[in-house]
Amino acid sequence: MTETTHLQTTPPGDGAKPRSPEYRLAVDALRGLRQDLIDDAFAYRLLPRMRVDGPLTRRLPGRLREYAAWTPHALIAVTALFTLLLTSVDTDAEVLLIAPLTVLPVLLTMVRPVGAFWLSMAATPVVGVIGSSWGDWPWQDGSFACHLSVLTVVAIRTRPRTAAWMWVLTAAYALVVDAGFGPGYGTNSAPMLIFSAMILLCVTVWHIRRDAAQEVTAQQTVTAHERSRRTLLEERTTIARELHDVVAHHMSVVAIQAEAAPYRVENPPPELEKAFATIRENAVAALTELRRVLGVVRAEDYEAPDAPQPTLADLDGLLANVREAGLSVEKVVTGAVRELPQGVELSAYRIVQEALSNSLRHAPGASARVEIGYVLGGLGLRIVNGPPPNLSLIKPSPGAGHGITGMRERVTMLNGEMTAGRTDDGGYEVAVFLPVALPDEDDV
């Protein structure tokens, strides 16, 4: 046994000293500044129209709803007009030169938001030098309103980090111009920095709340999807457990009859005995596999029922229990009553049971009606209940909708059809048709 020692070597050209955390923090900060305010600073980003599906806008007439979608653009245009009025208050002959410098950045926020910030920063010293109000330095009245408006709109249209960088650059500009011209003139840098910080803080809080609400909504959607998927799997597992006895019974009968068939024929040929033996072996093997699969879908605490699975013949007992629970229910049977396949009988019983349970849960005190129709080629079910007489008796149910999922799974398994929904009088109706092969079709 040999021991190998691995020596860690430094790659060529990588012998530089490790950088300090402060250096890396500064580099990351400058990288963020470049990404937010330098890279593609004048990229075209058209301001989208406002959604009109809110609680207020959805109530507007169609024509007004179309106009309401342009509300953000109208607000920016009004802000630009207000900035123009402030610019022309204390300015005489220079208004034609100064007005575009204070209005264009506000309007540019609708198409190139980051570029509008840089244009406002560049226009501020020009307006400050040309303007006649030297008492307001470095922001004239029009520039003050313009820069605050641009900061607000750009912060809304971008992300909180961009808003922070804009405020930092604004503060840096204020410090530079105050240091160079502050001793001789008054300054309004403090009001600008205070107002802009308050506005950007409010916008940042709005961004955080909106992102959190979107994340919660997405998480709730995923959770609801997973809950529906889990409910669907649970319902399918329940159906598989219930149908095990039905299928196992038929497979056991096949195996027993295949074993006894050769003894009912005098001197059967070897080929017939071999065929029946093969049938019995396949039936026993299928029954073994069926039990193995059932063991997989069973829960750890699952206990097989001692009583046989219910059928439509046991429906009267179910209705009696429902009446004792407070639901007035009536049963109507049409057509010639006949014995149906056990899978159909079991599914029909469970569908009626779940529909009546929903009536008890969501319409306490109402009356219900169960209609069973034996028709040519299938079985029809209709369970309908009236509206609840007292809405205060209804309690919220976290499992609402799971029963409908189970019923649909049973109907789909039997290639049937199902509709469920509210009636005109405020009740609820479940209509199901389960196809059953005709006797002459089985003989073919």
Side-chain angles (χ1 to χ4, degrees), residues 391-428:
L391 297 178
S392 62
L393 298 178
I394 302 177
K395 298 181 180 180
S397 176
H402 293 178
I404 299 296
T405 302
M407 286 189 279
R408 291 193 185 279
E409 281 299 307
R410 294 181 184 275
V411 173
T412 303
M413 177 188 63
L414 297 173
N415 296 323
E417 299 178 359
M418 171 180 166
T419 58
R422 295 197 173 276
T423 58
D424 296 335
D425 60 353
Y428 202 83

Side-chain angles (χ1 to χ4, degrees), residues 153-396:
V153 177
V154 176
I156 293 175
R157 297 201 58 193
T158 56
R159 53 183 176 174
R161 191 179 72 177
T162 305
W165 278 120
M166 290 190 301
W167 189 88
V168 169
L169 292 178
T170 301
Y173 169 77
L175 292 176
V176 170
V177 296
D178 284 348
F181 303 93
Y185 302 98
T187 176
N188 56 2
S189 297
M192 166 61 73
L193 296 181
I194 293 175
F195 286 135
S196 61
M198 294 176 60
I199 293 174
L200 295 181
L201 179 62
C202 294
V203 173
T204 301
V205 171
W206 174 78
H207 269 295
I208 294 175
R209 291 193 60 182
R210 185 193 62 176
D211 295 342
Q214 292 177 351
E215 184 176 355
V216 169
T217 302
Q219 194 65 31
Q220 289 177 345
T221 303
V222 174
T223 302
H225 177 73
E226 291 296 329
R227 186 185 297 113
S228 300
R229 184 173 177 271
R230 184 175 63 252
T231 301
L232 183 63
L233 294 177
E234 290 175 355
E235 292 294 339
R236 290 179 177 177
T237 302
T238 302
I239 295 172
R241 294 170 185 166
E242 292 180 349
L243 292 180
H244 166 261
D245 293 340
V246 177
V247 180
H249 171 72
H250 289 300
M251 296 302 298
S252 299
V253 171
V254 170
I256 294 173
Q257 290 182 348
E259 184 177 6
Y263 299 101
R264 297 187 180 186
V265 180
E266 185 177 358
N267 298 324
E271 294 82 0
L272 184 61
E273 291 183 354
K274 184 178 180 180
F276 279 118
T278 303
I279 293 174
R280 182 183 180 280
E281 292 175 0
N282 290 334
V284 172
L287 187 58
T288 302
E289 293 297 329
L290 179 63
R291 289 171 178 168
R292 183 179 294 113
V293 172
L294 182 67
V296 174
V297 299
R298 276 180 177 168
E300 294 181 358
D301 56 349
Y302 174 77
E303 295 181 1
D306 297 331
Q309 295 292 355
T311 62
L312 290 177
D314 304 314
L315 198 57
D316 291 336
L318 173 64
L319 299 182
N321 294 334
V322 172
R323 294 188 184 100
E324 292 178 359
L327 182 66
S328 177
V329 59
E330 173 189 7
K331 184 181 79 169
V332 177
V333 181
T334 59
V337 179
R338 65 184 187 275
E339 184 178 357
L340 300 174
Q342 292 183 357
V344 176
E345 293 264 356
L346 173 60
S347 296
Y349 180 91
R350 295 302 187 195
I351 290 172
V352 174
Q353 183 183 39
E354 185 59 41
L356 294 178
S357 298
N358 288 341
S359 300
L360 283 171
R361 186 182 304 112
H362 302 292
S367 59
R369 179 184 176 91
V370 178
E371 300 177 2
I372 303 174
Y374 291 86
V375 297
L376 189 64
L379 175 71
L381 299 174
R382 181 175 179 267
I383 305 95
V384 59
N385 63 265
N390 190 355
L391 297 178
S392 62
L393 298 178
I394 302 177
K395 298 181 180 180

